Amino acid sequence: MKPIDMMYQAMLAEVGQRAMDDAWTLDFPPRGRFVKVKVKDRDYWYFDQPDGEGGQRRKYVGPVEDPEIKKRVEDFSTIKTDFRTRRRLVSSLTRDGGLLAADRNSGVIVEALAAAGLFRLRAVLVGTLAFRTYSGLLGVRLPSTAIMTGDADFAQDYAISAGVMDSLPPILELLQSIDPTFRAVPSLAGAETTAFINGEGYRVEFLTANRGKDEYLDKPAEMPALGEASAQPLRFMDFLIREPVRTVLLYGSGVSVLVPDPARFAVHKLIVASRRHATSALKRDKDVMQAGILVEALLQTRRSSDLAMVYIEAWERGPQWQEGIKLGAAMLPNERKDQLRECLETGSKEIGEKAALPF
């Protein structure tokens, strides 16, 4: 597994910091431009931005002589320059640095939801899109064969959703502003919607941790912060999204996102793989592959203690968790099993706690 050159790691950190600081662009994104329009002998500022269909969408800003607006328009040139710089950095990272950019469908969706405040409201990008960000986070090149996806998954803790006293705009409206073919996928349990799909079959789904018994897994949870969307409760999700980390999804000028800790992601994938039915063999194999790749990356980058700590946390949650870890680990190829063993043994020594091996 080849390391990423330190120069590119520094560039990635710079893109991530700038993307996180870029708050004003929520109202006036750098892809647009301010235009002066005369109405009845008086000049007004309007803001034009692409509508996603080859045209422009115009937003009223205010009168030209308003000093507050004048300052914003002047500052916009600086923001625009920074945006272009970040785009060049992202291009260099993906073209020369060996990092993988998000595909357009995924990138534009994550970008729009981030701009609407999804990650500010402590939602977490999960699934393969999150896995895609670990190359930059860990500083190694991950194989692209494990990164293909046709969906975007987001998770939010129910207590956070209920407690923030804030909400996104309606999710369906946000998605349809990107692609009018998006529609809600009806839930089997009722009128609640946890997923949306467009005409090409690209799926956006919202998840949360299961807070009760397994019979509630098929009942969508109402999520006050998710803009009229519900979320599908899943077992083990609370473990995955605990203590998420901030990084950047490489699309456009870089999108600041929250993702699961990579060590948690690896352990979670082993458990999830053990619960896949025979009809989900492809997803099961992908889970095992991603878990194995992350184990190797954590071992190579001397983060064995990270894996050991979350592994022990999962193991101590009881027999069902232990059984899931054992079954998932048994699916790893022999080389990956050896790496998992080495990572756990090394990490155990570093943290001074014994990790029970799953073999």
Side-chain angles (χ1 to χ4, degrees), residues 144-180:
S144 59
T145 53
I147 302 179
M148 301 300 292
T149 188
D151 52 28
D153 297 327
F154 305 90
Q156 187 185 49
D157 182 83
Y158 174 81
I160 292 175
S161 192
V164 293
M165 304 296 290
D166 195 359
S167 179
L168 297 173
I171 292 291
L172 183 57
E173 292 180 14
L174 282 173
L175 294 175
Q176 288 180 338
S177 71
I178 302 165
D179 180 349

PDB file of all heavy atoms in Angstrom, residues 144-180:
ATOM      1  N   SER A 144      -8.870   1.309  -5.898  1.00  0.00           N
ATOM      2  CA  SER A 144     -10.142   1.834  -6.403  1.00  0.00           C
ATOM      3  C   SER A 144     -11.201   0.747  -6.545  1.00  0.00           C
ATOM      4  O   SER A 144     -12.391   1.041  -6.590  1.00  0.00           O
ATOM      5  CB  SER A 144      -9.933   2.509  -7.761  1.00  0.00           C
ATOM      6  OG  SER A 144      -9.400   1.592  -8.697  1.00  0.00           O
ATOM      7  N   THR A 145     -10.794  -0.512  -6.585  1.00  0.00           N
ATOM      8  CA  THR A 145     -11.766  -1.603  -6.736  1.00  0.00           C
ATOM      9  C   THR A 145     -12.732  -1.680  -5.566  1.00  0.00           C
ATOM     10  O   THR A 145     -13.817  -2.246  -5.681  1.00  0.00           O
ATOM     11  CB  THR A 145     -11.047  -2.959  -6.864  1.00  0.00           C
ATOM     12  OG1 THR A 145     -10.131  -3.105  -5.763  1.00  0.00           O
ATOM     13  CG2 THR A 145     -10.288  -3.042  -8.174  1.00  0.00           C
ATOM     14  N   ALA A 146     -12.349  -1.114  -4.412  1.00  0.00           N
ATOM     15  CA  ALA A 146     -13.197  -1.180  -3.221  1.00  0.00           C
ATOM     16  C   ALA A 146     -14.037   0.074  -3.037  1.00  0.00           C
ATOM     17  O   ALA A 146     -14.686   0.242  -2.015  1.00  0.00           O
ATOM     18  CB  ALA A 146     -12.327  -1.393  -1.981  1.00  0.00           C
ATOM     19  N   ILE A 147     -14.044   0.967  -4.044  1.00  0.00           N
ATOM     20  CA  ILE A 147     -14.615   2.291  -3.845  1.00  0.00           C
ATOM     21  C   ILE A 147     -15.768   2.595  -4.790  1.00  0.00           C
ATOM     22  O   ILE A 147     -16.346   3.654  -4.769  1.00  0.00           O
ATOM     23  CB  ILE A 147     -13.495   3.359  -3.952  1.00  0.00           C
ATOM     24  CG1 ILE A 147     -12.402   3.069  -2.918  1.00  0.00           C
ATOM     25  CG2 ILE A 147     -13.996   4.758  -3.721  1.00  0.00           C
ATOM     26  CD1 ILE A 147     -11.253   4.033  -2.934  1.00  0.00           C
ATOM     27  N   MET A 148     -16.161   1.691  -5.646  1.00  0.00           N
ATOM     28  CA  MET A 148     -17.281   1.934  -6.552  1.00  0.00           C
ATOM     29  C   MET A 148     -18.594   1.961  -5.768  1.00  0.00           C
ATOM     30  O   MET A 148     -18.812   1.145  -4.883  1.00  0.00           O
ATOM     31  CB  MET A 148     -17.329   0.857  -7.626  1.00  0.00           C
ATOM     32  CG  MET A 148     -16.060   0.769  -8.479  1.00  0.00           C
ATOM     33  SD  MET A 148     -15.682   2.298  -9.355  1.00  0.00           S
ATOM     34  CE  MET A 148     -17.051   2.330 -10.518  1.00  0.00           C
ATOM     35  N   THR A 149     -19.461   2.926  -6.112  1.00  0.00           N
ATOM     36  CA  THR A 149     -20.733   3.021  -5.401  1.00  0.00           C
ATOM     37  C   THR A 149     -21.784   3.659  -6.301  1.00  0.00           C
ATOM     38  O   THR A 149     -21.463   4.346  -7.257  1.00  0.00           O
ATOM     39  CB  THR A 149     -20.598   3.842  -4.102  1.00  0.00           C
ATOM     40  OG1 THR A 149     -21.811   3.748  -3.361  1.00  0.00           O
ATOM     41  CG2 THR A 149     -20.292   5.307  -4.389  1.00  0.00           C
ATOM     42  N   GLY A 150     -23.037   3.437  -5.982  1.00  0.00           N
ATOM     43  CA  GLY A 150     -24.133   4.057  -6.700  1.00  0.00           C
ATOM     44  C   GLY A 150     -25.131   4.651  -5.733  1.00  0.00           C
ATOM     45  O   GLY A 150     -26.309   4.812  -6.052  1.00  0.00           O
ATOM     46  N   ASP A 151     -24.641   4.988  -4.534  1.00  0.00           N
ATOM     47  CA  ASP A 151     -25.542   5.554  -3.539  1.00  0.00           C
ATOM     48  C   ASP A 151     -24.765   6.429  -2.568  1.00  0.00           C
ATOM     49  O   ASP A 151     -23.541   6.424  -2.533  1.00  0.00           O
ATOM     50  CB  ASP A 151     -26.290   4.451  -2.781  1.00  0.00           C
ATOM     51  CG  ASP A 151     -25.350   3.393  -2.204  1.00  0.00           C
ATOM     52  OD1 ASP A 151     -24.191   3.727  -1.914  1.00  0.00           O
ATOM     53  OD2 ASP A 151     -25.780   2.238  -2.057  1.00  0.00           O
ATOM     54  N   ALA A 152     -25.517   7.192  -1.790  1.00  0.00           N
ATOM     55  CA  ALA A 152     -24.939   8.035  -0.740  1.00  0.00           C
ATOM     56  C   ALA A 152     -25.731   7.788   0.533  1.00  0.00           C
ATOM     57  O   ALA A 152     -26.959   7.926   0.543  1.00  0.00           O
ATOM     58  CB  ALA A 152     -24.998   9.501  -1.135  1.00  0.00           C
ATOM     59  N   ASP A 153     -25.048   7.392   1.595  1.00  0.00           N
ATOM     60  CA  ASP A 153     -25.695   7.074   2.864  1.00  0.00           C
ATOM     61  C   ASP A 153     -25.252   8.063   3.933  1.00  0.00           C
ATOM     62  O   ASP A 153     -24.051   8.367   4.059  1.00  0.00           O
ATOM     63  CB  ASP A 153     -25.333   5.656   3.312  1.00  0.00           C
ATOM     64  CG  ASP A 153     -25.833   4.599   2.332  1.00  0.00           C
ATOM     65  OD1 ASP A 153     -26.896   4.815   1.731  1.00  0.00           O
ATOM     66  OD2 ASP A 153     -25.147   3.568   2.169  1.00  0.00           O
ATOM     67  N   PHE A 154     -26.205   8.536   4.715  1.00  0.00           N
ATOM     68  CA  PHE A 154     -25.930   9.476   5.797  1.00  0.00           C
ATOM     69  C   PHE A 154     -26.595   8.959   7.066  1.00  0.00           C
ATOM     70  O   PHE A 154     -27.695   8.396   7.021  1.00  0.00           O
ATOM     71  CB  PHE A 154     -26.480  10.859   5.457  1.00  0.00           C
ATOM     72  CG  PHE A 154     -25.991  11.412   4.149  1.00  0.00           C
ATOM     73  CD1 PHE A 154     -26.686  11.176   2.976  1.00  0.00           C
ATOM     74  CD2 PHE A 154     -24.822  12.162   4.093  1.00  0.00           C
ATOM     75  CE1 PHE A 154     -26.236  11.676   1.763  1.00  0.00           C
ATOM     76  CE2 PHE A 154     -24.361  12.667   2.889  1.00  0.00           C
ATOM     77  CZ  PHE A 154     -25.062  12.421   1.716  1.00  0.00           C
ATOM     78  N   ALA A 155     -25.939   9.146   8.196  1.00  0.00           N
ATOM     79  CA  ALA A 155     -26.497   8.685   9.468  1.00  0.00           C
ATOM     80  C   ALA A 155     -26.477   9.826  10.476  1.00  0.00           C
ATOM     81  O   ALA A 155     -25.579  10.678  10.456  1.00  0.00           O
ATOM     82  CB  ALA A 155     -25.690   7.499  10.006  1.00  0.00           C
ATOM     83  N   GLN A 156     -27.468   9.835  11.334  1.00  0.00           N
ATOM     84  CA  GLN A 156     -27.534  10.833  12.394  1.00  0.00           C
ATOM     85  C   GLN A 156     -28.096  10.178  13.654  1.00  0.00           C
ATOM     86  O   GLN A 156     -29.025   9.372  13.574  1.00  0.00           O
ATOM     87  CB  GLN A 156     -28.411  12.018  11.986  1.00  0.00           C
ATOM     88  CG  GLN A 156     -28.379  13.179  12.975  1.00  0.00           C
ATOM     89  CD  GLN A 156     -29.358  14.284  12.591  1.00  0.00           C
ATOM     90  OE1 GLN A 156     -30.520  14.034  12.312  1.00  0.00           O
ATOM     91  NE2 GLN A 156     -28.888  15.525  12.588  1.00  0.00           N
ATOM     92  N   ASP A 157     -27.519  10.512  14.779  1.00  0.00           N
ATOM     93  CA  ASP A 157     -28.019  10.016  16.056  1.00  0.00           C
ATOM     94  C   ASP A 157     -29.363  10.684  16.358  1.00  0.00           C
ATOM     95  O   ASP A 157     -29.512  11.890  16.172  1.00  0.00           O
ATOM     96  CB  ASP A 157     -27.012  10.319  17.165  1.00  0.00           C
ATOM     97  CG  ASP A 157     -27.462   9.790  18.510  1.00  0.00           C
ATOM     98  OD1 ASP A 157     -27.243   8.604  18.784  1.00  0.00           O
ATOM     99  OD2 ASP A 157     -28.049  10.571  19.278  1.00  0.00           O
ATOM    100  N   TYR A 158     -30.333   9.894  16.824  1.00  0.00           N
ATOM    101  CA  TYR A 158     -31.673  10.449  17.069  1.00  0.00           C
ATOM    102  C   TYR A 158     -31.630  11.554  18.123  1.00  0.00           C
ATOM    103  O   TYR A 158     -32.307  12.586  17.984  1.00  0.00           O
ATOM    104  CB  TYR A 158     -32.647   9.356  17.509  1.00  0.00           C
ATOM    105  CG  TYR A 158     -33.988   9.935  17.905  1.00  0.00           C
ATOM    106  CD1 TYR A 158     -34.928  10.264  16.927  1.00  0.00           C
ATOM    107  CD2 TYR A 158     -34.305  10.192  19.235  1.00  0.00           C
ATOM    108  CE1 TYR A 158     -36.143  10.831  17.268  1.00  0.00           C
ATOM    109  CE2 TYR A 158     -35.524  10.759  19.593  1.00  0.00           C
ATOM    110  CZ  TYR A 158     -36.435  11.078  18.599  1.00  0.00           C
ATOM    111  OH  TYR A 158     -37.631  11.648  18.948  1.00  0.00           O
ATOM    112  N   ALA A 159     -30.856  11.369  19.175  1.00  0.00           N
ATOM    113  CA  ALA A 159     -30.816  12.358  20.251  1.00  0.00           C
ATOM    114  C   ALA A 159     -30.312  13.706  19.728  1.00  0.00           C
ATOM    115  O   ALA A 159     -30.791  14.764  20.150  1.00  0.00           O
ATOM    116  CB  ALA A 159     -29.933  11.866  21.386  1.00  0.00           C
ATOM    117  N   ILE A 160     -29.360  13.663  18.808  1.00  0.00           N
ATOM    118  CA  ILE A 160     -28.865  14.905  18.210  1.00  0.00           C
ATOM    119  C   ILE A 160     -29.946  15.529  17.339  1.00  0.00           C
ATOM    120  O   ILE A 160     -30.207  16.731  17.404  1.00  0.00           O
ATOM    121  CB  ILE A 160     -27.588  14.632  17.387  1.00  0.00           C
ATOM    122  CG1 ILE A 160     -26.442  14.248  18.323  1.00  0.00           C
ATOM    123  CG2 ILE A 160     -27.211  15.841  16.543  1.00  0.00           C
ATOM    124  CD1 ILE A 160     -25.172  13.840  17.609  1.00  0.00           C
ATOM    125  N   SER A 161     -30.601  14.701  16.516  1.00  0.00           N
ATOM    126  CA  SER A 161     -31.631  15.207  15.621  1.00  0.00           C
ATOM    127  C   SER A 161     -32.762  15.872  16.396  1.00  0.00           C
ATOM    128  O   SER A 161     -33.295  16.904  15.983  1.00  0.00           O
ATOM    129  CB  SER A 161     -32.182  14.069  14.754  1.00  0.00           C
ATOM    130  OG  SER A 161     -32.969  14.551  13.692  1.00  0.00           O
ATOM    131  N   ALA A 162     -33.112  15.294  17.526  1.00  0.00           N
ATOM    132  CA  ALA A 162     -34.207  15.830  18.334  1.00  0.00           C
ATOM    133  C   ALA A 162     -33.769  17.010  19.185  1.00  0.00           C
ATOM    134  O   ALA A 162     -34.586  17.847  19.575  1.00  0.00           O
ATOM    135  CB  ALA A 162     -34.779  14.731  19.231  1.00  0.00           C
ATOM    136  N   GLY A 163     -32.474  17.099  19.472  1.00  0.00           N
ATOM    137  CA  GLY A 163     -32.008  18.095  20.431  1.00  0.00           C
ATOM    138  C   GLY A 163     -31.449  19.376  19.856  1.00  0.00           C
ATOM    139  O   GLY A 163     -31.316  20.370  20.580  1.00  0.00           O
ATOM    140  N   VAL A 164     -31.122  19.412  18.552  1.00  0.00           N
ATOM    141  CA  VAL A 164     -30.452  20.601  18.013  1.00  0.00           C
ATOM    142  C   VAL A 164     -31.395  21.776  17.798  1.00  0.00           C
ATOM    143  O   VAL A 164     -30.947  22.916  17.606  1.00  0.00           O
ATOM    144  CB  VAL A 164     -29.734  20.286  16.684  1.00  0.00           C
ATOM    145  CG1 VAL A 164     -28.586  19.341  16.917  1.00  0.00           C
ATOM    146  CG2 VAL A 164     -30.698  19.743  15.633  1.00  0.00           C
ATOM    147  N   MET A 165     -32.707  21.534  17.790  1.00  0.00           N
ATOM    148  CA  MET A 165     -33.689  22.610  17.590  1.00  0.00           C
ATOM    149  C   MET A 165     -33.445  23.359  16.285  1.00  0.00           C
ATOM    150  O   MET A 165     -33.514  24.578  16.201  1.00  0.00           O
ATOM    151  CB  MET A 165     -33.654  23.587  18.778  1.00  0.00           C
ATOM    152  CG  MET A 165     -33.884  22.935  20.128  1.00  0.00           C
ATOM    153  SD  MET A 165     -35.548  22.211  20.284  1.00  0.00           S
ATOM    154  CE  MET A 165     -36.533  23.699  20.360  1.00  0.00           C
ATOM    155  N   ASP A 166     -33.133  22.611  15.248  1.00  0.00           N
ATOM    156  CA  ASP A 166     -32.866  23.179  13.926  1.00  0.00           C
ATOM    157  C   ASP A 166     -33.167  22.094  12.904  1.00  0.00           C
ATOM    158  O   ASP A 166     -33.249  20.910  13.257  1.00  0.00           O
ATOM    159  CB  ASP A 166     -31.408  23.628  13.828  1.00  0.00           C
ATOM    160  CG  ASP A 166     -31.145  24.546  12.638  1.00  0.00           C
ATOM    161  OD1 ASP A 166     -32.094  24.819  11.871  1.00  0.00           O
ATOM    162  OD2 ASP A 166     -29.997  24.988  12.467  1.00  0.00           O
ATOM    163  N   SER A 167     -33.334  22.472  11.654  1.00  0.00           N
ATOM    164  CA  SER A 167     -33.635  21.473  10.645  1.00  0.00           C
ATOM    165  C   SER A 167     -33.166  21.930   9.272  1.00  0.00           C
ATOM    166  O   SER A 167     -33.069  23.128   8.990  1.00  0.00           O
ATOM    167  CB  SER A 167     -35.139  21.199  10.591  1.00  0.00           C
ATOM    168  OG  SER A 167     -35.445  20.244   9.579  1.00  0.00           O
ATOM    169  N   LEU A 168     -32.878  20.962   8.431  1.00  0.00           N
ATOM    170  CA  LEU A 168     -32.600  21.227   7.028  1.00  0.00           C
ATOM    171  C   LEU A 168     -33.889  21.642   6.317  1.00  0.00           C
ATOM    172  O   LEU A 168     -34.986  21.355   6.789  1.00  0.00           O
ATOM    173  CB  LEU A 168     -32.077  19.956   6.349  1.00  0.00           C
ATOM    174  CG  LEU A 168     -30.753  19.373   6.829  1.00  0.00           C
ATOM    175  CD1 LEU A 168     -30.531  18.034   6.133  1.00  0.00           C
ATOM    176  CD2 LEU A 168     -29.609  20.309   6.542  1.00  0.00           C
ATOM    177  N   PRO A 169     -33.760  22.297   5.161  1.00  0.00           N
ATOM    178  CA  PRO A 169     -34.938  22.452   4.296  1.00  0.00           C
ATOM    179  C   PRO A 169     -35.412  21.061   3.875  1.00  0.00           C
ATOM    180  O   PRO A 169     -34.687  20.073   4.037  1.00  0.00           O
ATOM    181  CB  PRO A 169     -34.390  23.241   3.098  1.00  0.00           C
ATOM    182  CG  PRO A 169     -33.107  23.830   3.557  1.00  0.00           C
ATOM    183  CD  PRO A 169     -32.559  22.899   4.591  1.00  0.00           C
ATOM    184  N   PRO A 170     -36.608  20.935   3.322  1.00  0.00           N
ATOM    185  CA  PRO A 170     -37.090  19.618   2.894  1.00  0.00           C
ATOM    186  C   PRO A 170     -36.090  18.908   1.985  1.00  0.00           C
ATOM    187  O   PRO A 170     -35.653  19.471   0.970  1.00  0.00           O
ATOM    188  CB  PRO A 170     -38.386  19.947   2.156  1.00  0.00           C
ATOM    189  CG  PRO A 170     -38.873  21.203   2.797  1.00  0.00           C
ATOM    190  CD  PRO A 170     -37.633  21.983   3.121  1.00  0.00           C
ATOM    191  N   ILE A 171     -35.715  17.687   2.366  1.00  0.00           N
ATOM    192  CA  ILE A 171     -34.689  16.943   1.644  1.00  0.00           C
ATOM    193  C   ILE A 171     -35.070  16.731   0.182  1.00  0.00           C
ATOM    194  O   ILE A 171     -34.245  16.893  -0.725  1.00  0.00           O
ATOM    195  CB  ILE A 171     -34.431  15.578   2.315  1.00  0.00           C
ATOM    196  CG1 ILE A 171     -33.775  15.771   3.689  1.00  0.00           C
ATOM    197  CG2 ILE A 171     -33.567  14.691   1.433  1.00  0.00           C
ATOM    198  CD1 ILE A 171     -32.357  16.285   3.639  1.00  0.00           C
ATOM    199  N   LEU A 172     -36.316  16.384  -0.066  1.00  0.00           N
ATOM    200  CA  LEU A 172     -36.736  16.121  -1.446  1.00  0.00           C
ATOM    201  C   LEU A 172     -36.568  17.370  -2.306  1.00  0.00           C
ATOM    202  O   LEU A 172     -36.118  17.288  -3.455  1.00  0.00           O
ATOM    203  CB  LEU A 172     -38.173  15.628  -1.493  1.00  0.00           C
ATOM    204  CG  LEU A 172     -38.700  15.251  -2.889  1.00  0.00           C
ATOM    205  CD1 LEU A 172     -37.813  14.180  -3.530  1.00  0.00           C
ATOM    206  CD2 LEU A 172     -40.140  14.771  -2.812  1.00  0.00           C
ATOM    207  N   GLU A 173     -36.898  18.524  -1.768  1.00  0.00           N
ATOM    208  CA  GLU A 173     -36.728  19.768  -2.521  1.00  0.00           C
ATOM    209  C   GLU A 173     -35.252  20.037  -2.809  1.00  0.00           C
ATOM    210  O   GLU A 173     -34.897  20.489  -3.909  1.00  0.00           O
ATOM    211  CB  GLU A 173     -37.346  20.938  -1.761  1.00  0.00           C
ATOM    212  CG  GLU A 173     -38.864  20.880  -1.670  1.00  0.00           C
ATOM    213  CD  GLU A 173     -39.452  22.060  -0.918  1.00  0.00           C
ATOM    214  OE1 GLU A 173     -38.708  23.054  -0.709  1.00  0.00           O
ATOM    215  OE2 GLU A 173     -40.632  21.991  -0.534  1.00  0.00           O
ATOM    216  N   LEU A 174     -34.398  19.782  -1.833  1.00  0.00           N
ATOM    217  CA  LEU A 174     -32.959  19.957  -2.033  1.00  0.00           C
ATOM    218  C   LEU A 174     -32.460  19.063  -3.161  1.00  0.00           C
ATOM    219  O   LEU A 174     -31.711  19.498  -4.044  1.00  0.00           O
ATOM    220  CB  LEU A 174     -32.201  19.633  -0.745  1.00  0.00           C
ATOM    221  CG  LEU A 174     -32.185  20.691   0.353  1.00  0.00           C
ATOM    222  CD1 LEU A 174     -31.539  20.120   1.616  1.00  0.00           C
ATOM    223  CD2 LEU A 174     -31.416  21.927  -0.098  1.00  0.00           C
ATOM    224  N   LEU A 175     -32.863  17.792  -3.119  1.00  0.00           N
ATOM    225  CA  LEU A 175     -32.397  16.841  -4.126  1.00  0.00           C
ATOM    226  C   LEU A 175     -32.970  17.174  -5.501  1.00  0.00           C
ATOM    227  O   LEU A 175     -32.273  17.060  -6.517  1.00  0.00           O
ATOM    228  CB  LEU A 175     -32.771  15.419  -3.711  1.00  0.00           C
ATOM    229  CG  LEU A 175     -32.072  14.885  -2.460  1.00  0.00           C
ATOM    230  CD1 LEU A 175     -32.621  13.511  -2.082  1.00  0.00           C
ATOM    231  CD2 LEU A 175     -30.559  14.798  -2.661  1.00  0.00           C
ATOM    232  N   GLN A 176     -34.219  17.613  -5.543  1.00  0.00           N
ATOM    233  CA  GLN A 176     -34.820  17.948  -6.831  1.00  0.00           C
ATOM    234  C   GLN A 176     -34.241  19.234  -7.413  1.00  0.00           C
ATOM    235  O   GLN A 176     -34.307  19.437  -8.626  1.00  0.00           O
ATOM    236  CB  GLN A 176     -36.338  18.069  -6.689  1.00  0.00           C
ATOM    237  CG  GLN A 176     -37.019  16.721  -6.498  1.00  0.00           C
ATOM    238  CD  GLN A 176     -38.525  16.823  -6.353  1.00  0.00           C
ATOM    239  OE1 GLN A 176     -39.056  17.878  -5.984  1.00  0.00           O
ATOM    240  NE2 GLN A 176     -39.223  15.726  -6.633  1.00  0.00           N
ATOM    241  N   SER A 177     -33.649  20.087  -6.575  1.00  0.00           N
ATOM    242  CA  SER A 177     -32.966  21.266  -7.105  1.00  0.00           C
ATOM    243  C   SER A 177     -31.690  20.870  -7.833  1.00  0.00           C
ATOM    244  O   SER A 177     -31.184  21.604  -8.683  1.00  0.00           O
ATOM    245  CB  SER A 177     -32.633  22.244  -5.964  1.00  0.00           C
ATOM    246  OG  SER A 177     -31.595  21.738  -5.130  1.00  0.00           O
ATOM    247  N   ILE A 178     -31.153  19.674  -7.509  1.00  0.00           N
ATOM    248  CA  ILE A 178     -29.984  19.127  -8.200  1.00  0.00           C
ATOM    249  C   ILE A 178     -30.417  18.339  -9.421  1.00  0.00           C
ATOM    250  O   ILE A 178     -29.848  18.473 -10.513  1.00  0.00           O
ATOM    251  CB  ILE A 178     -29.194  18.199  -7.252  1.00  0.00           C
ATOM    252  CG1 ILE A 178     -28.756  18.937  -6.000  1.00  0.00           C
ATOM    253  CG2 ILE A 178     -27.996  17.575  -7.966  1.00  0.00           C
ATOM    254  CD1 ILE A 178     -28.294  18.011  -4.899  1.00  0.00           C
ATOM    255  N   ASP A 179     -31.439  17.495  -9.219  1.00  0.00           N
ATOM    256  CA  ASP A 179     -31.919  16.614 -10.272  1.00  0.00           C
ATOM    257  C   ASP A 179     -33.434  16.448 -10.093  1.00  0.00           C
ATOM    258  O   ASP A 179     -33.880  15.805  -9.135  1.00  0.00           O
ATOM    259  CB  ASP A 179     -31.217  15.254 -10.177  1.00  0.00           C
ATOM    260  CG  ASP A 179     -31.669  14.274 -11.253  1.00  0.00           C
ATOM    261  OD1 ASP A 179     -32.665  14.565 -11.941  1.00  0.00           O
ATOM    262  OD2 ASP A 179     -31.032  13.222 -11.395  1.00  0.00           O
ATOM    263  N   PRO A 180     -34.228  17.035 -10.984  1.00  0.00           N
ATOM    264  CA  PRO A 180     -35.691  16.977 -10.829  1.00  0.00           C
ATOM    265  C   PRO A 180     -36.268  15.567 -10.842  1.00  0.00           C
ATOM    266  O   PRO A 180     -37.424  15.385 -10.452  1.00  0.00           O
ATOM    267  CB  PRO A 180     -36.200  17.773 -12.045  1.00  0.00           C
ATOM    268  CG  PRO A 180     -35.058  18.616 -12.474  1.00  0.00           C
ATOM    269  CD  PRO A 180     -33.820  17.833 -12.152  1.00  0.00           C
TER     270      PRO A 180
END
